[in-house]
Amino acid sequence: MPRFRSILDTMPPYRPGKAVAAADGRSYKLSSNESPYDPLPSVVEAVAAGARQVNRYPDPAAVALTEAIAERFGVPAGHVALGAGSVTVAQQLFETVGEPGVEVVYAWRSFEAYPLLADLAGATSVRVPLAGEDHDLDAMAEAINDRTRMVFVCNPNNPTGTAIRRAELEAFLDRVPGDVLVVLDEAYREYVRDEDVPDGLTLYRDRPNVCVLRTFSKAYGLAGLRVGYLIGHEPVAEAVRKTMVPFAVNHLAQVAAVASLRAEGELLERVERVVKERTRVREALLAQGWTVPPTEANFVWLRLGERTLDFAAACAVEGVAVRPFAGEGARISIGDPEANDAFLTAAAAFRAQL
């Protein structure tokens, strides 16, 4: 038999959100942080037109998309690097620093791909436990040493939805050595409504060791096309571009992302609807007696401990798929009002049995 890397024997596969169905066929997928809305007509038209060119390779440098992102956020084009979804850009980042002896610091629990990407890159994970549902930035700063090459800060955090405010984040960044890269993973930035939660792009400009990671998968509704991007100073962006697989961002993805930026005003109206539903769902859960941390993302978090899998199973009976983390809690994405109502009904029924 062929011989493979020994790390593969200990690595669980990434678990995508699953769909379930009730006995009557009802099915509400709240297990993946996707937009509940169909793509905008203008985006669909752009993709349909772009389909006429799929016999050709995509632009490997994605010049049109890179320039569109740079213009949208007022940054140099040389500060932008792309990948097939933000998780792939994260993988590219791990590949820029990963080698034996290197450590990467991140909160835990946070985005579940971090440990897998670290292992694949040959880096050692340093997981710093959350303080309740929040990043413990003091402990993370103390975990940095001469072997630390990179720190991930997921803000808002996935799966808890909690966000770090400006003063705390700036104080943390001031403690990080200049030769340690800090990645502000802002996949849910568009859903943030707390004005004291900083936009990472306002922090990176005068900090060469800080970069920002974002995606078109959530608010922009392009999860199926896989487009993510990084904004950082030229040395960081250049290193990430070097680790990008050629043609990783396909032609239709590039076209759709450019069209989405052009239609951003209309897209953000949809985001506002999700935010309003998020508020409604959280308030309803609080009224039912649940403890629900404030969330700035497009999901809510319930810490359920040993009841987590039972809760997920009870929701599945009602046709509602949630994202359980065994022994810890469940993350529930915000869907359309019908899906959210189905979830709230299931949550109330489970609560009544406790």
Side-chain angles (χ1 to χ4, degrees), residues 147-169:
R147 297 181 298 278
T148 307
R149 198 72 62 84
M150 185 166 64
V151 178
F152 264 81
V153 179
C154 191
N155 196 34
N157 188 45
N158 177 14
T160 62
T162 54
I164 305 165
R165 291 189 164 93
R166 178 176 296 276
E168 184 183 7
L169 184 55

Side-chain angles (χ1 to χ4, degrees), residues 8 60 110 132 199 206 231 240 258-260 276-277 280 292 344:
L8 298 181
S110 192
D199 181 332
D206 60 353
I231 295 178
V240 172
V258 171
S260 293
K276 289 180 179 178
E277 278 295 288
R280 182 178 76 88
V292 190
L344 290 171

Side-chain angles (χ1 to χ4, degrees), residues 274-341:
V274 172
V275 170
K276 289 180 179 178
E277 278 295 288
R278 177 184 75 190
T279 300
R280 182 178 76 88
V281 169
R282 181 171 183 265
E283 290 178 349
L285 289 170
L286 291 171
Q288 291 177 10
W290 297 101
T291 299
V292 190
T295 174
E296 294 293 333
N298 65 336
F299 51 84
V300 294
W301 169 255
L302 296 178
R303 184 157 298 275
L304 297 154
E306 296 304 317
R307 301 192 302 269
T308 298
L309 296 184
D310 290 339
F311 179 81
C315 290
V317 169
E318 300 300 323
V320 179
V322 302
R323 188 63 175 268
F325 298 88
E328 298 181 65
R331 188 195 69 198
I332 304 94
S333 303
I334 300 300
D336 60 31
E338 180 182 345
N340 298 332
D341 286 342

Side-chain angles (χ1 to χ4, degrees), residues 23-68:
D24 61 4
R26 289 178 299 121
S27 180
Y28 305 101
K29 188 185 177 191
L30 303 182
S31 55
S32 296
N33 295 329
E34 305 157 331
S35 171
Y37 301 107
D38 294 338
L40 290 173
S42 60
V43 176
V44 173
E45 290 173 7
V47 170
R52 299 189 186 98
Q53 285 125 10
V54 295
N55 59 309
R56 304 294 184 186
Y57 284 111
D59 175 5
V63 172
L65 176 55
T66 297
E67 292 179 348

